[in-house]
């Protein structure tokens, strides 16, 4: 009996997913001409805001194999300050980070027993540090843009151009970058995950733009600091399993405009 129930539930879930994907695909095909201009970052504001200050948070736990590559890729963007938070790694992550001598790289370390308490705590820890810097430098929170990038991620070459185009408009409070897997796939699972990230999720996000329900992801999200601090608080992330979607829900409840 249990097998029948679980099979039925699985079948219903699969049906909903396939219908959702089909609707997303059809919607994307119909709306593409409008989306390309309005949502893809191709529009250019009347004036680029040169006073925007970017801080990119990189949570790190046992990422010695990839963390240097990620930091070096982020350093290509001259406006970025990179805040790496090591959450009491047991490998050589800290040693790898310290080998990069650049004033735009800020290494924060959490130590046991106050570490390993969740990604939300790691991000809040970094945000406290960023707020202290911006207050000390007297930079308005309206000009501070916070990004979150995974320790094994890399932004596209035109990422900063697109971000400046979006955030130069004072009405823009959040942006979610499109996510793609590294191109050297090792198995079919990575190929299918890339299709999910780069195609299905992207089309779903385009649909959500029309309903103002865009979801932030744990990787590649950027937001303006002022509305988050003003309406949610200094520690916007909690202990939810999905820290990214938790922040999205909080923003919706506080009616923070995208």
């Amino acid at each position: 009996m249990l097998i029948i129930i679980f099979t039925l539930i699985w079948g219903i879930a699969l049906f909903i997913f396939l219908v959702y994907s089909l609707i997303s695909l059809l919607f994307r095909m119909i709306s593409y001409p409008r989306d390309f201009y309005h949502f893809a970052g191709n529009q250019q504001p009347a004036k680029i805001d040169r006073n925007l200050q970017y801080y990119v948070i990189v949570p790190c736990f046992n990422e010695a194999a990839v963390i240097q590559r990620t930091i070096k890729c982020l350093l290509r963007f001259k406006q970025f300050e990179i805040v790496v938070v090591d959450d009491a790694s047991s490998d050589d992550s800290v040693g790898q980070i310290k080998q990069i001598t650049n004033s735009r790289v800020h290494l924060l370390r959490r130590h046991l027993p106050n570490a390993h308490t969740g990604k939300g705590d790691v991000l809040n820890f970094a945000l406290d540090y960023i707020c202290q810097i911006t207050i000390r430098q007297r930079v308005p929170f309206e000009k501070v843009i916070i990004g979150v990038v995974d320790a094994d991620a890399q932004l596209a070459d035109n990422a900063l151009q697109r971000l400046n185009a979006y955030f130069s408009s004072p009405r823009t409070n959040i942006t979610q970058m499109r996510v793609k897997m590294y191109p050297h796939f090792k198995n079919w699972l990575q190929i299918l995950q890339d299709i999910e990230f780069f195609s299905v999720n992207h089309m779903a996000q385009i649909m959500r733009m029309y309903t103002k329900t865009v979801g932030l992801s744990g990787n590649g999200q950027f937001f303006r600091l002022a509305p988050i601090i003003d309406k949610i608080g200094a520690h916007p992330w909690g202990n939810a399993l999905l820290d990214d979607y938790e922040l999205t829900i909080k923003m919706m409840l506080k009616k923070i405009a995208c």
Side-chain angles (χ1 to χ4, degrees):
M1 185 65 181
L2 285 177
I3 296 177
I4 297 175
I5 293 174
F6 282 119
T7 302
L8 182 62
I9 293 173
W10 182 86
I12 293 173
L14 179 62
F15 175 77
I16 293 173
F17 172 76
L18 292 175
V19 171
Y20 175 77
S21 300
L22 179 60
I23 293 174
S24 298
L25 178 60
L26 293 174
F27 187 88
R28 177 64 172 151
M29 292 172 62
I30 295 171
S31 65
Y32 178 78
R34 183 179 188 278
D35 298 339
F36 185 81
Y37 177 77
H38 289 281
F39 296 144
N42 296 297
Q43 74 281 18
Q44 289 297 322
K47 184 180 180 181
I48 295 292
D49 189 345
R50 301 297 178 185
N51 295 318
L52 294 175
Q53 190 160 332
Y54 290 89
Y55 287 90
V56 179
I57 303 172
V58 183
C60 176
F61 175 67
N62 289 349
E63 302 285 0
V66 295
I67 191 64
Q68 271 202 14
R69 173 182 177 176
T70 299
I71 295 173
K72 289 177 180 178
C73 288
L74 290 172
L75 284 172
R76 293 178 303 159
F77 304 101
K78 302 303 181 183
Q79 285 181 258
F80 283 2
E81 297 282 330
I82 298 100
V83 180
V84 187
V85 185
D86 179 75
D87 197 33
S89 293
S90 58
D91 66 357
D92 190 39
S93 293
V94 172
Q96 293 294 318
I97 297 167
K98 287 184 174 180
Q99 290 180 22
I100 302 175
T101 55
N102 190 299
S103 61
R104 291 192 289 121
V105 177
H106 308 256
L107 172 60
L108 308 182
R109 300 183 65 182
R110 283 161 50 89
H111 301 279
L112 294 172
N114 298 317
H116 302 174
T117 57
K119 187 177 179 181
D121 286 343
V122 170
L123 297 175
N124 287 330
F125 187 74
L127 201 62
D128 284 341
Y129 174 78
I130 294 168
C131 288
Q132 291 173 12
I133 292 178
T134 53
I135 291 172
R136 188 164 60 245
Q137 295 177 347
R138 298 184 178 180
V139 178
F141 283 175
E142 290 81 6
K143 300 295 183 181
V144 179
I145 310 301
I146 306 296
V148 179
V149 173
D150 283 349
D152 59 351
Q154 177 179 333
L155 296 181
D157 293 338
N158 63 344
L160 184 57
Q161 173 190 347
R162 296 296 176 89
L163 289 169
N164 280 332
Y166 276 121
F167 287 107
S168 289
S169 169
R171 295 178 299 176
T172 300
N173 288 321
I174 66 168
T175 294
Q176 173 59 50
M177 307 294 282
R178 192 176 185 183
V179 179
K180 181 175 176 58
M181 298 283 288
Y182 280 127
H184 304 294
F185 304 120
K186 297 180 180 179
N187 51 55
W188 275 99
L189 179 61
Q190 291 183 349
I191 295 174
L192 293 174
Q193 192 173 22
D194 183 63
I195 293 173
E196 177 192 2
F197 287 163
F198 197 68
S199 301
V200 178
N201 285 358
H202 176 66
M203 289 185 291
Q205 290 282 43
I206 294 295
M207 286 184 64
R208 291 172 182 165
M209 289 179 181
Y210 286 98
T211 57
K212 299 188 183 300
T213 58
V214 172
L216 293 176
S217 125
N219 184 25
Q221 63 173 273
F222 286 81
F223 60 82
R224 196 181 301 274
L225 183 57
I228 300 297
I229 295 295
D230 293 343
K231 296 188 177 183
I232 299 179
H235 291 168
W237 291 281
N239 294 319
L241 178 62
L242 298 176
D243 57 274
D244 46 1
Y245 205 67
E246 176 195 21
L247 182 58
T248 301
I249 295 297
K250 287 181 178 179
M251 293 177 68
M252 290 178 183
L253 291 174
K254 297 295 183 179
K255 294 181 170 51
I256 298 177
C258 299

